[in-house]
Amino acid sequence: MNPHAAFSTSPAALVRSLWKNRQLIYQMTKREIVSRYRGSAMGLAWSVIHPVCMLAVYTFVFSMVFTSRWGNTADSKSEFALTLFAGLILFNLFSDCINKAPVIIHGNINYVKKVIFPLEILPVIILATSLFQWVIAFTVWLVFYIVLFGIPSATILLLPLILVPLVLSTLGCSWILAACGVYVKDIAHLVGFLMSVLLFLSPIFYPLSAIPHTYQPLMMCNPLTVAIEQARSVMLLAQLPDWHVWGLFLLFSLCIVWLGFALFQKMRRGFADVL
């Protein structure tokens, strides 16, 4: 089989690849999760300890040192912590994938030489692993919420739907960065810097309403803004999402995921030569 053969870039090829390789994705994701904690004394408990510790640090800094508030909704430290955590775990889902994407092909050179291996699933495995971490962090959030305030509103059941556009756009960006990272190694360093900046340019430590109206449309260009704001609405405020905004975000995400897949498929023909 020719290593420089053309790979299909159609949306149908994307769906077909994910379905055809679903068992392989599951097995490799499971192996990635297990290997991440293998040999550590605390094991899988670290996936709970880490977000809880980060939550404690950020809550102290932003609620006591910088005295941040979400209007009248988060005057108590516990409510502030849950509001902050709801945004932080979504950012971690996105940043974990984006930070790893530029080096994922370099870290799996042995697969590049195997023409029959579906390289396009490597970013999917990163995303699946990050989603597993998000589920654990969300469970921590849910337990704290139930202990402090009782059963959350039924609107929280819409949270998986809120996540769909973010997951799709994250996968699309991961494909783009994975392909470009093979040819330009500096991308990994640039992405790390941009993620640090994006942490403070996303409405994690403050609500979107705290931004002057002039700059709010610019903030909405950040895919994390829509996801975080709508996730907080269904998790904490018992409000339905803005379906018009969600629909536009979903359309944008579908374009990004297809563009990312198509770019990856076109650029992968040169991976073996570069690596």
Side-chain angles (χ1 to χ4, degrees):
M1 187 172 180
N2 183 2
H4 296 284
F7 296 92
S8 178
T9 61
S10 69
L14 189 164
V15 175
R16 192 163 52 245
S17 175
L18 295 179
W19 177 256
K20 177 182 177 182
N21 298 296
R22 63 190 184 281
Q23 287 298 326
L24 181 59
I25 292 172
Y26 171 76
Q27 293 298 332
M28 293 189 69
T29 300
K30 181 179 177 181
R31 188 180 68 179
E32 175 67 20
I33 293 171
V34 171
S35 65
R36 182 174 294 192
Y37 301 103
R38 182 185 292 124
S40 62
M42 300 295 293
L44 193 61
W46 280 114
S47 61
V48 176
I49 295 171
H50 181 261
V52 170
C53 289
M54 294 306 297
L55 172 63
V57 171
Y58 282 130
T59 301
F60 172 77
V61 171
F62 287 93
S63 69
M64 299 187 69
V65 178
F66 293 118
T67 62
S68 299
R69 291 291 184 271
W70 260 269
N72 297 322
T73 62
D75 291 329
S76 70
K77 296 296 185 293
S78 57
E79 199 168 353
F80 180 92
L82 289 170
T83 304
L84 175 62
F85 200 30
L88 192 60
I89 59 178
L90 282 179
F91 174 82
N92 287 341
L93 167 64
F94 180 79
S95 64
D96 189 47
C97 296
I98 299 303
N99 280 324
K100 292 177 180 177
V103 296
I104 186 63
I105 303 300
H106 282 283
N108 293 276
I109 295 179
N110 55 318
Y111 293 139
V112 176
K113 308 299 181 180
K114 299 176 181 178
V115 181
I116 61 172
F117 185 84
L119 291 176
E120 69 274 12
I121 71 170
L122 292 177
V124 180
I125 293 166
I126 296 176
L127 177 60
T129 304
S130 298
L131 278 170
F132 173 81
Q133 300 291 339
W134 178 87
V135 168
I136 292 178
F138 171 72
T139 302
V140 171
W141 180 93
L142 188 60
V143 169
F144 273 83
Y145 187 96
I146 292 173
V147 169
L148 294 171
F149 302 107
I151 303 298
S153 168
T155 56
I156 200 171
L157 298 175
L158 294 172
L159 186 57
L161 201 59
I162 299 297
L163 287 181
V164 170
L166 179 63
V167 168
L168 292 176
S169 58
T170 300
L171 180 57
C173 291
S174 297
W175 267 321
I176 293 172
L177 291 171
C180 294
V182 174
Y183 300 96
V184 185
K185 292 185 179 180
D186 289 349
I187 288 180
H189 301 288
L190 178 61
V191 165
F193 167 75
L194 290 177
M195 284 299 101
S196 298
V197 173
L198 195 62
L199 176 64
F200 295 98
L201 292 182
S202 302
I204 298 173
F205 307 110
Y206 53 85
L208 181 62
S209 58
I211 303 296
H213 288 287
T214 306
Y215 299 105
Q216 286 188 16
L218 186 61
M219 286 284 291
M220 292 298 287
C221 294
N222 174 5
L224 283 168
T225 297
V226 177
I228 291 172
E229 287 288 303
Q230 296 206 337
R232 284 197 179 118
S233 293
V234 301
M235 292 169 71
L236 293 153
L237 304 179
Q239 296 176 354
L240 293 175
D242 186 326
W243 294 115
H244 176 70
V245 173
W246 181 87
L248 291 175
F249 186 22
L250 178 62
L251 182 61
F252 167 80
S253 299
L254 288 171
C255 293
I256 290 296
V257 76
W258 173 74
L259 176 64
F261 177 76
L263 185 66
F264 184 91
Q265 293 291 78
K266 283 186 174 294
M267 296 179 69
R268 68 185 289 181
R269 287 177 286 176
F271 288 177
D273 295 333
V274 175
L275 299 175

